[in-house]
Amino acid sequence: MTVVSVLVFAMLGTGVLFALVRLALGPSLLDRVVATDALLVIISAGLAVYAALTRDRTVVPVLVVVALLGFVGTISVARYVGGMLPEPADDPGTPGATTAGDAPAEEVRP
């Protein structure tokens, strides 16, 4: 291995350690989701570096699967957390806000 490859894998390993610390200590669910997504990105980068160094094309489908897993997982958790948020209530005092009994205003045309 060359010096550059050792440095790249050392930096990726450091990133994995930081992501694992955030995954373990994250105070909220969203912190853990971001840490998991970062971990999957680092794994994808490690696979890409390995494939480039060894010129091994068989790793590319695994790389695609890991990237899709990260994308679908992040979107799924974001939709789950988004469904937990309360719906914003219309404030009748704001201009343009309507209540259930109000009829829409008619347009005046010349």
Side-chain angles (χ1 to χ4, degrees):
M1 291 181 127
T2 63
V3 175
V4 174
S5 63
V6 171
L7 288 175
V8 168
F9 283 122
M11 287 189 286
L12 288 173
T14 305
V16 166
L17 288 177
F18 285 142
L20 288 175
V21 167
R22 177 49 60 197
L23 187 64
L25 299 178
S28 71
L29 174 67
L30 294 178
D31 287 332
R32 289 184 171 95
V33 169
V34 170
T36 305
D37 192 36
L39 192 60
L40 287 172
V41 168
I42 292 169
I43 290 170
S44 298
L47 286 171
V49 169
Y50 172 78
L53 288 175
T54 61
R55 299 179 190 262
D56 186 13
R57 294 182 186 172
T58 60
V59 180
V60 175
V62 176
L63 182 63
V64 171
V65 168
V66 169
L68 284 174
L69 179 68
F71 174 74
V72 170
T74 302
I75 296 299
S76 300
V77 172
R79 287 183 58 98
Y80 172 73
V81 171
M84 292 174 30
L85 298 175
E87 292 291 325
D90 284 339
D91 185 15
T94 58
T98 60
T99 59
D102 290 344
E106 294 182 19
E107 291 184 18
V108 178
R109 295 186 184 203

